[in-house]
Amino acid sequence: MFNIILFGPPGSGKGTQSEKLIAKYHLKHLSTGDLLRSEISAKTILGLEAKAIMDKGHLVPDAVVVGMIRSALDNNPSAQGFLFDGFPRTVAQSVALDNLLKEKNSEINIVLALEVDEEELVKRLLNRGLTSGRSDDTNEEIIRARITEYKAKTTVVADYYKQFNKVVKIKGVGTVEEIFDALRFEIDKRLS
Ligand code: AP5
Ligand code: MG
C-alpha cells in the first residue's frame, strides 16, 4: 500500500488535488469532511451533532473521526492505498492513524503539505461559499475561525510527521495543474 496525507489549511486545495491524485494513482479517497457531510445529509444523530460543531468552525471530537476512518479502512481491504484529506487534524488523530495502519502492516508514506497564505484562503472560501451550499463557507467569521482552529490544533500534525522525515512542503498557489505536477513529482520520487 502507498498512503498519502494531503495536508493544509481550509481552502488550500486538498479536495481539488485529491480528485486528480486518486484518479492518477488509484487510491481510495478518505476525506473526513466529506464523510461528516454525508452524515449530515443522511440526518443521522452523529451528523446532527457534528453539524453544530462544524458550523462554528471547530473540530469534531477525535473519537468520532477516528471511528469513521477505522470503518473506512476495514471496509476497503483491497485498496492499493489511501489518500487522507483533512485527516489527521490533531496529534491524537495522527497517533491513532499510525496504529490503525500498523494493524494492517502499513504506514503513511508521505505527507504533502500545501502552503497558501491566509488572505488567499479566505478569498477562495468566500468565493466557494457563493455556490457550494457549505454552511461553514458562508461568512468570513466562520472561515477565520476554521483557520484559527487549524493554527491552534492542526499545524502540530506536520511537526509530528517531521520527526519521521515524511513531510514535503508544496507551494499551493498557482494553477491547479502546476500544483498537481509538483505533488506528482514528489510522489513519483518515492514510488520509483
Ligand atoms: P473539511 O471538509 O476538511 O474542510 P477544510 O479542511 O476546512 O477544507 P476545505 O474542504 O474547505 O478546503 P480544501 O483544502 O479541500 O480546498 P478545496 O480544494 O475545496 O472540514 C470541514 C469541517 O469538518 C471542519 O471544520 C471540522 O469541523 C470537520 N472536520 C473534518 N475533518 C475533521 C477531522 N479530521 N477532525 C475534526 N474535525 C474534522 O479548494 C477550496 C476552493 O479553492 C475551491 O473553490 C477551489 O475551487 C479553489 N481552488 C483550489 N485550488 C485552487 C488554486 N490552485 N487556485 C485558486 N483556487 C483554487
Ligand atoms: Mg476539502
Side-chain angles (χ1 to χ4, degrees), residues 14-15 31 34 37 85 128 134:
K14 301 183 296 293
S31 155
D34 289 349
R37 282 184 288 275
D85 158 1
R128 186 179 64 186
R134 268 180 64 166

Side-chain angles (χ1 to χ4, degrees), residues 106-125:
S106 193
E107 63 173 351
I108 290 299
N109 296 89
I110 188 169
V111 179
L112 294 160
L114 293 169
E115 298 197 312
V116 178
D117 67 82
E118 183 160 340
E119 293 319 303
E120 171 71 11
L121 297 173
V122 173
K123 197 175 83 186
R124 285 184 188 181
L125 292 177

Side-chain angles (χ1 to χ4, degrees), residues 5-18 21 84-87 89 112-126 128 134 137 143 146-147 150 154 170-176 179-180 183:
I5 294 174
L6 192 54
F7 187 78
S12 57
K14 301 183 296 293
T16 305
Q17 296 296 334
S18 287
L21 290 168
F84 298 95
D85 158 1
F87 178 89
R89 265 174 143 98
L112 294 160
L114 293 169
E115 298 197 312
V116 178
D117 67 82
E118 183 160 340
E119 293 319 303
E120 171 71 11
L121 297 173
V122 173
K123 197 175 83 186
R124 285 184 188 181
L125 292 177
L126 280 174
R128 186 179 64 186
R134 268 180 64 166
D137 281 350
I143 291 170
R146 286 159 63 195
I147 296 171
Y150 174 83
T154 307
I170 303 284
K171 184 175 156 220
V173 183
T175 68
V176 169
I179 298 162
F180 181 56
L183 293 167

Side-chain angles (χ1 to χ4, degrees), residues 18-170:
S18 287
E19 293 304 322
K20 299 175 71 68
L21 290 168
I22 56 164
K24 164 90 184 145
Y25 295 102
H26 311 290
L27 301 169
K28 174 76 185 162
H29 183 200
L30 293 184
S31 155
T32 39
D34 289 349
L35 291 170
L36 288 165
R37 282 184 288 275
S38 303
E39 297 282 339
I40 293 172
S41 303
K43 298 194 163 59
T44 63
I45 293 172
L46 191 159
L48 286 173
E49 286 174 358
K51 187 177 189 315
I53 299 170
M54 291 162 76
D55 283 353
K56 291 193 196 114
H58 296 165
L59 292 185
V60 170
D62 291 336
V64 172
V65 285
V66 169
M68 292 195 312
I69 291 291
R70 181 186 289 118
S71 306
L73 293 180
D74 287 343
N75 292 337
N76 290 280
S78 51
Q80 296 181 31
F82 294 93
L83 174 60
F84 298 95
D85 158 1
F87 178 89
R89 265 174 143 98
T90 62
V91 171
Q93 291 178 25
S94 312
V95 173
L97 176 62
D98 281 356
N99 288 332
L100 288 172
L101 289 173
K102 212 177 278 168
E103 283 171 25
K104 310 214 177 286
N105 294 316
S106 193
E107 63 173 351
I108 290 299
N109 296 89
I110 188 169
V111 179
L112 294 160
L114 293 169
E115 298 197 312
V116 178
D117 67 82
E118 183 160 340
E119 293 319 303
E120 171 71 11
L121 297 173
V122 173
K123 197 175 83 186
R124 285 184 188 181
L125 292 177
L126 280 174
N127 186 44
R128 186 179 64 186
L130 300 174
T131 53
S132 69
R134 268 180 64 166
S135 49
D136 59 350
D137 281 350
T138 45
N139 76 60
E140 186 164 338
E141 200 183 327
I142 304 172
I143 291 170
R144 298 243 182 227
R146 286 159 63 195
I147 296 171
T148 301
E149 191 83 332
Y150 174 83
K151 287 187 195 159
K153 297 181 183 160
T154 307
T155 49
V156 286
V157 167
D159 300 328
Y160 171 81
Y161 286 105
K162 265 182 209 155
Q163 62 177 321
F164 309 114
N165 287 321
K166 292 190 177 182
V167 182
V168 179
K169 292 181 186 174
I170 303 284

